[in-house]
Structures are given as structure tokens and as C-alpha cells.
Amino acid sequence: MAEDPFADLADLLFNVGRLVRARTPETDQAVPLNETERLVMRMVDLHPGSSPTEIAERARLQRTNVSGALRSLESKGMVRRQATGGRGVAVHPTELAARNLRLLRSGWSRQLGGVLGDDLDAVRECAALLARLETDLTRNIRSEPSDG
């Protein structure tokens, strides 16, 4: 195969993400979420007050899948919906969602810190690059087709 640093990066991102999720410490304090719920919750955390349609567009998911995930997240106490006038709805994370995210982030920090040690400059540089990628890839662009 020809060298393709972008494809190599994408391949590593998929695998490292899978490995981090697989090694996330289980705790009875954390609310378990499936993959779609995790993705929807990420969009709600990044863009509180978004509509379900905006969440679907940013996450590149089918609107029906987002609706199902939001119903499940609402039943778990992770999100609340707020009417915005007319038929509009804004979705917000709850305090339980914030607590859940703090628990997960603490576990991820211990896990990655144990592997990467104290190379914080490299970690910050990598995190900045990934944040830029996430921001660009989750822009609400209606003209681009959804992969979901």
C-alpha cells in the first residue's frame, strides 16, 4: 500500500478509540450507554440547546436513530428536552450527564496517563489536532450528505 498519512491517521483513530472504550473502567456509578447514545450525548455536550435535527446532522446519523437515542437518554436521566416555541425542541445535558462525563474522563485520564506518562506537550498537541478535526467534521452543513 502507498503511504497515506491521512488514511493512516483515520485507521489509528478508529482502533485507538475502540481500545480506549474497551478499557474504560466499569463502574456501577456510570450510566451505561450504547454507541449511538454515546455519539448523541457527545453532540449534546458539545452543542447544548441543539435540536434533534441539528444533532443528527452534526453526528451524521439518521434522524430516527437520534430520536430513539434521545428517548433512551431521557429515560436514563441524561438529557432534557425544552420547548423552543412552535414545534421546536432544544436538548440539554442534565447534571447526571455531567457527573457521568466526569467519571468517564477521570477513568480515561488514568488510563492514558498510565500509558503516555508525563509527555503533556505531545498530548496537548494531539488533543488540539483532534479537536480541530472534530469541530470541522461536526459542522452543521446541510449540503453534505449524511453517512447514517
Side-chain angles (χ1 to χ4, degrees):
M1 270 198 261
E3 180 182 328
D4 185 340
F6 296 112
D8 292 344
L9 177 62
D11 186 45
L12 286 166
L13 287 170
F14 285 126
N15 196 45
V16 170
R18 183 190 63 77
L19 291 169
V20 169
R21 280 191 306 275
R23 296 171 196 265
T24 298
E26 295 284 328
T27 172
D28 56 356
Q29 297 173 339
V31 177
L33 303 177
N34 67 36
E35 192 64 31
T36 302
E37 291 167 341
R38 275 195 291 272
L39 183 52
V40 168
M41 199 65 240
R42 177 79 175 150
M43 292 301 106
V44 172
D45 285 331
L46 288 174
H47 307 282
S50 293
S51 72
T53 298
E54 291 167 335
I55 293 166
E57 289 172 353
R58 285 187 178 107
R60 310 296 174 160
L61 292 171
Q62 293 289 329
R63 176 67 168 78
T64 55
N65 293 344
V66 170
S67 293
L70 286 173
R71 279 191 302 277
S72 178
L73 288 166
E74 198 169 27
S75 73
K76 292 176 180 183
M78 299 290 284
V79 298
R80 65 178 170 77
R81 299 180 207 221
Q82 178 181 2
T84 60
R87 292 177 40 178
V89 172
V91 181
H92 297 274
T94 64
E95 179 51 41
L96 175 61
R99 184 179 63 92
N100 203 59
L101 185 56
R102 285 191 300 271
L103 283 169
L104 292 172
R105 289 178 57 87
S106 176
W108 297 332
S109 181
R110 284 190 307 276
Q111 180 184 30
L112 294 183
V115 173
L116 298 173
D118 61 357
D119 192 0
L120 294 181
D121 289 338
V123 170
R124 287 183 181 108
E125 187 176 333
C126 183
L129 175 65
L130 293 174
R132 189 176 106 207
L133 273 171
E134 181 178 46
T135 297
D136 288 349
L137 293 172
T138 59
R139 286 195 200 287
N140 190 2
I141 302 173
R142 293 178 189 269
S143 61
E144 291 187 16
S146 171
D147 292 336

